Amino acid sequence: MRKIRVGIFGVSGKMGSEVVRAVNRADDMTTSGGIDINEDRSKIGRAEVVVDFTHPDSVMDNIRWCLERDINMVIGTTGFNDERLAEVRELVEQHPGVGVLIASNFSIGAVLMMKFAAMAAPFYPSAEIIELHHPNKADAPSGTSATTARRIAAARAEANLDPVPDATVHDAGARGAVVDGIHIHGLRIQGLVAHQEVLFGETGETLTIRHDSFDRVSFMPGVVEAIRYVMEHPGLTLEMEDVLGL
């Protein structure tokens, strides 16, 4: 059986180490090498796909390096805003035949949580998000919570809902970040991995959708499927819905 050659950026990190184990467990893949930040990227050898779990400060240069060499990418590093995504789209267009997948979360449960949240959003006037992560996470709010907020906001706009009710006058930051009109509250606590609650409210009831990743191994089935996907789907893919057929 032919095996996909996979390189790992951020190979010594907690996510990178899990990627190595997951790739080596897959029958149709093999690791071709890995590096950490500021190391020689050529150490990935003859990789066909690079999985990037590094840092927002490094990921854009990693994308440029890989696309210049026609190497597909699966990216779990966060920190992508509209400006960065526009640059990635431009780079991908300059390298037809190369696939790049950027996902804010590879956990199957987290992908379903975001989908369920978008389904529930038109039915509730109130919606807020609490995201809880380990204290070494580089960005806040998390990429998952920002993606969830945008999807909730889009569903609310399609349903012609009014803005989320909120009479707060004096804030001092306690109301959290706001993404497309949805408040996000970020916690960074030792002992956590990755967790998110989406809370919806209507008079007389609330609905809470929660997902918990207790171990980074929970992200690996999605990463493995994403590697297979980019080999067959050139261009830019955002998030995991297409990979999972949702």
Side-chain angles (χ1 to χ4, degrees), residues 121-122 150-162 180 182:
R150 294 187 188 101
R151 293 183 180 181
I152 290 171
R156 290 172 59 88
E158 188 173 347
N160 294 314
L161 294 187
D162 292 329
D180 289 358
I182 306 299

Side-chain angles (χ1 to χ4, degrees), residues 27-218:
D27 292 337
D28 58 343
M29 301 178 191
T30 185
T31 54
S32 65
I35 63 141
D36 291 311
I37 293 175
N38 297 323
E39 291 185 345
D40 180 3
R41 284 175 286 208
S42 66
K43 291 181 180 179
I44 62 167
R46 297 173 58 245
E48 299 170 276
V49 180
V50 162
V51 178
D52 188 307
F53 281 101
T54 55
H55 192 278
D57 292 343
S58 304
V59 67
M60 292 304 295
D61 192 50
N62 289 341
I63 294 171
R64 298 183 196 102
W65 188 91
C66 285
L67 293 189
E68 287 172 0
R69 292 157 179 80
D70 292 331
I71 301 172
N72 304 292
M73 294 195 76
V74 170
I75 301 169
T77 305
T78 54
F80 285 93
N81 54 24
D82 290 341
E83 181 180 350
R84 284 190 165 197
L85 288 175
E87 182 179 348
V88 175
R89 287 191 181 93
E90 183 177 343
L91 288 167
V92 169
E93 289 173 1
Q94 295 169 6
H95 298 85
V98 181
V100 175
L101 184 145
I102 301 172
S104 54
N105 201 310
F106 289 91
S107 162
I108 309 303
V111 174
L112 291 171
M113 174 265 297
M114 289 187 275
K115 185 173 181 65
F116 297 157
M119 292 171 62
F123 299 95
Y124 292 91
S126 290
E128 302 206 12
I129 298 170
I130 303 172
E131 53 100 342
L132 311 90
H133 287 81
H134 57 89
N136 294 323
K137 187 169 179 60
D139 58 333
S142 69
T144 301
S145 64
T147 298
T148 308
R150 294 187 188 101
R151 293 183 180 181
I152 290 171
R156 290 172 59 88
E158 188 173 347
N160 294 314
L161 294 187
D162 292 329
V164 173
D166 183 2
T168 303
V169 177
H170 302 292
D171 183 337
R175 294 290 291 120
V178 181
V179 175
D180 289 358
I182 306 299
H183 285 266
I184 302 175
H185 310 270
L187 282 67
R188 298 292 177 267
I189 298 176
Q190 192 74 39
L192 297 180
V193 177
H195 316 260
Q196 180 168 297
E197 288 187 5
V198 186
L199 294 92
F200 296 100
E202 173 60 286
T203 302
E205 71 166 359
T206 61
L207 170 67
T208 300
I209 303 171
R210 177 170 176 128
H211 175 258
D212 297 278
S213 282
F214 299 106
D215 192 299
R216 289 168 179 84
V217 73
S218 66

